[in-house]
Amino acid sequence: MDSGQDKPTARAGGLRAAVVVNPVKVADLDEFRRTVDGALTVAGWPAPTWYETTVDDPGRGQTEQAVKAGAEVVFACGGDGTVMACVTALAGTDVALAVLPQGTGNLLAANLGLSGDLAAGLEVAVERGRRRLDVGVVDDQCFAVMAGMGFDAQMLDSTSETTKARIGWPAYVMGAAKHLRERPMQVSIRIDDQPPLRRRARSVLVANVGRLQGGVRLLTDAEPDDGWLDVAVLTPRTLGHWLAMGWALMRRRGSVPRMEVLKGRKVEITSNRAQPRQLDGDLIEPGRALKAEIKPQSLVLCVPRPAQHPDLSVDAKAAAERGERLVEEARRE
């Protein structure tokens, strides 16, 4: 893959692109389309093919159609569900994924440092920083950031879309506060072929990348392409435990109290009762078990330069500035 050492201009030559967009997440779809088409034209790319997601298909089928039609880059435009559907369809192919976040909280975009910045997402794609990432697999779906069972999914379920749209990622704190005092789940955690571990946990997270919403780094050692899943077992029992954990995560110095970290290629979590579950910030059906397996270096992702930097968001701010110039040039033409 591209080493990221030499930075080509945005006009290094065009690639065939497709845009998979959730129209519900875009305030003005016509304006959004003009901006994307115009920026790619200025960058020397042919006009992309557009696909809209539906309630029945949040993006996987549309992405598969785009791949069959010869797309070399697929832009995922929407929230976590849209991005995860595109990840699932592109895993195992050589077609690159570019993220244009349009939802109120996009976990993969947060790890790329893009938040809701359309210009930055476009610039990252046309500058061709590419990196092969691992993905996790749960049933027939893939996740690029993390899967979770317990408190983290409860928090997502209790966070309203209206509040997220109004105040952004702090809305998750309000959702979390509703569940801080609930009883833990009794879980069995089997890592690869090792004997199962038994814990009383509030949440178990299986991560490929370590950053949460708001830029909080949960797992400092998580690498997106090392062939391992990082497992965080959260065991707070009191409000004081939660506060100590939150403070340690914000300061990010040393170990985090009430958090045990494990590593494996295959993880099986079984609870004593059905629990809410999530993949990359998108809720899936509740269940008593969560089984995840690593699929090494199977997703080509458009990332800020330099492409091989340990932090996927290293050049995001500078890319945003270059992207604004690209979009402005497109508007003048």
Side-chain angles (χ1 to χ4, degrees):
M1 297 306 295
D2 192 340
S3 68
Q5 297 304 309
D6 297 316
K7 183 179 292 184
T9 67
R11 296 166 179 77
L15 298 176
R16 294 188 301 276
V19 182
V20 176
V21 60
N22 181 348
V24 175
K25 298 288 187 179
V26 182
D28 187 336
L29 187 57
D30 290 337
E31 175 62 24
F32 179 78
R33 183 165 180 165
R34 282 194 294 271
T35 300
V36 173
D37 286 353
L40 293 181
T41 298
V42 167
W45 291 32
T49 305
W50 286 74
Y51 300 85
E52 292 188 13
T53 68
T54 65
V55 174
D56 294 329
D57 190 340
R60 183 172 180 174
Q62 296 88 337
T63 304
E64 290 171 347
Q65 290 178 45
V67 172
K68 289 179 182 177
E72 296 169 283
V73 177
V74 172
F75 289 89
C77 310
D80 288 310
T82 305
V83 174
M84 186 175 65
C86 294
V87 167
T88 300
L90 294 178
T93 76
D94 290 324
V95 179
L97 171 68
V99 181
L100 299 180
Q102 292 296 308
T104 50
N106 188 286
L107 204 52
L108 182 55
N111 277 274
L112 290 169
L114 301 179
S115 24
D117 196 326
L118 171 61
L122 289 166
E123 186 69 18
V124 165
V126 301
E127 287 185 354
R128 302 199 193 189
R130 301 289 188 267
R131 186 161 174 182
R132 278 197 175 272
L133 267 61
D134 306 332
V135 299
V137 182
V138 173
D139 297 327
D140 65 340
Q141 297 185 84
C142 295
F143 64 91
V145 182
M146 64 181 65
M149 183 174 181
F151 172 78
D152 58 299
Q154 284 180 321
M155 175 189 68
L156 293 171
D157 193 34
S158 297
T159 304
S160 75
E161 292 294 325
T162 302
T163 307
K164 283 195 292 183
R166 189 170 67 248
I167 67 174
W169 70 264
Y172 292 105
V173 178
M174 299 171 62
K178 301 175 184 178
H179 299 284
L180 291 179
R181 296 185 180 274
E182 293 186 10
R183 63 192 174 105
M185 55 184 175
Q186 298 177 24
V187 292
S188 169
I189 305 168
R190 182 184 289 275
I191 306 290
D192 298 328
D193 296 323
Q194 301 173 25
L197 304 172
R198 303 194 184 279
R199 298 288 186 269
R200 288 174 58 82
R202 289 301 315 278
S203 183
V204 182
L205 294 161
V206 182
N208 182 47
V209 183
R211 185 173 277 121
L212 302 175
Q213 294 291 357
V216 176
R217 194 73 181 265
L218 177 70
L219 293 158
T220 55
D221 294 331
E223 296 285 347
D225 51 6
D226 62 357
W228 294 92
L229 292 168
D230 291 70
V231 183
V233 185
L234 308 184
T235 59
R237 296 188 182 181
T238 67
L239 183 57
H241 290 163
W242 281 113
L243 292 173
M245 180 185 296
W247 178 245
L249 287 172
M250 294 300 293
R251 295 178 71 223
R252 205 62 251 200
R253 295 177 185 170
S255 62
V256 177
R258 315 299 300 189
M259 184 174 83
E260 181 181 6
V261 179
L262 311 164
K263 277 184 177 288
R265 303 184 192 280
K266 187 182 298 184
V267 181
E268 182 175 348
I269 308 157
T270 306
S271 171
N272 62 326
R273 61 185 188 276
Q275 297 290 334
R277 304 181 302 163
Q278 60 86 14
L279 302 181
D280 276 356
D282 195 51
L283 290 167
I284 60 174
E285 284 294 317
R288 288 189 58 206
L290 183 70
K291 300 177 182 179
E293 186 172 356
I294 196 74
K295 194 172 183 180
Q297 299 195 12
S298 57
L299 177 69
V300 181
L301 184 66
C302 298
V303 299
R305 297 283 186 152
Q308 300 307 315
H309 194 280
D311 186 350
L312 293 177
S313 66
V314 61
D315 190 47
K317 289 184 179 180
E321 294 174 0
R322 294 191 295 273
E324 287 295 341
R325 293 195 290 271
L326 178 69
V327 169
E328 286 301 320
E329 185 177 346
R331 287 171 178 163
R332 289 194 298 269
E333 294 196 357

